[in-house]
Amino acid sequence: MRNEREYVEYVQARMPWLRRLAYRLCGQWSAADDLVQECLVALYRHWRRASEADSVDGYVRVMLVHTYLAERERSWTRRVRPVADVIGPATPPLAGAEHRIDLLAALTKLSRGQRAVLVLRYWEDLDVAQTAVALGCSTGTVKSQTSYAIAALRRLLPNYEPEGSDTP
């Protein structure tokens, strides 16, 4: 079946991206893997519509974000977390890794919506309009949530200096 083969090829090619995006949203590899799995099941059911979209990646991104945001509305039995966390793929240490760890920890303290806005805007490099489409909200909401999220991060990380900052 051609559609099924296309689906499998797409998933195989985009799995690392999907896992990274899900991890950035969830902050835990086990939760990210669950989120990706749930999204891929829905994608399989809607593959024909997704494959006809202008951007399959954009369509899947919206699905993943909506699944993430809907998580809080699920029953508590679906939100139970395992004790041990699945370790993600090994990556070499990055310059400024200690700042990255602090930033990722601070992101977990934001609301789901604020975290989603920051991940889409700054990690996925979407503009305000694209982020609004992915979240299903207005551009004004994206702007205000981005502003609130950045203000919250500044409160959580008062001594944080972004990489490349010229301040001593």
Side-chain angles (χ1 to χ4, degrees), residues 32-49:
D33 288 336
D34 290 346
L35 179 62
V36 168
Q37 181 178 358
E38 192 170 336
C39 180
L40 291 179
V41 168
L43 178 62
Y44 183 79
R45 286 193 317 256
H46 302 289
W47 177 248
R48 180 169 293 159
R49 190 176 329 146

Side-chain angles (χ1 to χ4, degrees), residues 116-126 131 146-147 150:
V117 165
L118 292 183
V119 167
L120 293 173
R121 291 279 290 123
Y122 298 106
W123 265 303
E124 290 296 305
D125 201 28
L126 299 183
T131 302
T146 301
S147 176
I150 290 172

Side-chain angles (χ1 to χ4, degrees), residues 32-111:
D33 288 336
D34 290 346
L35 179 62
V36 168
Q37 181 178 358
E38 192 170 336
C39 180
L40 291 179
V41 168
L43 178 62
Y44 183 79
R45 286 193 317 256
H46 302 289
W47 177 248
R48 180 169 293 159
R49 190 176 329 146
S51 64
E52 292 171 356
D54 290 338
S55 167
V56 177
D57 285 347
Y59 189 96
V60 174
R61 182 186 300 114
V62 168
M63 289 180 73
L64 191 70
V65 170
H66 283 222
T67 303
Y68 166 73
L69 292 173
E71 174 70 22
R72 66 180 159 211
E73 298 167 6
R74 297 211 171 86
S75 76
W76 69 271
T77 57
R78 301 242 1 232
R79 291 189 307 240
V80 173
R81 299 283 182 237
V83 175
D85 204 7
V86 176
I87 304 300
T91 55
L94 302 171
E98 63 281 353
H99 294 299
R100 184 178 175 89
I101 290 169
D102 293 340
L103 180 59
L104 289 172
L107 280 171
T108 64
K109 296 177 182 172
L110 298 179
S111 73

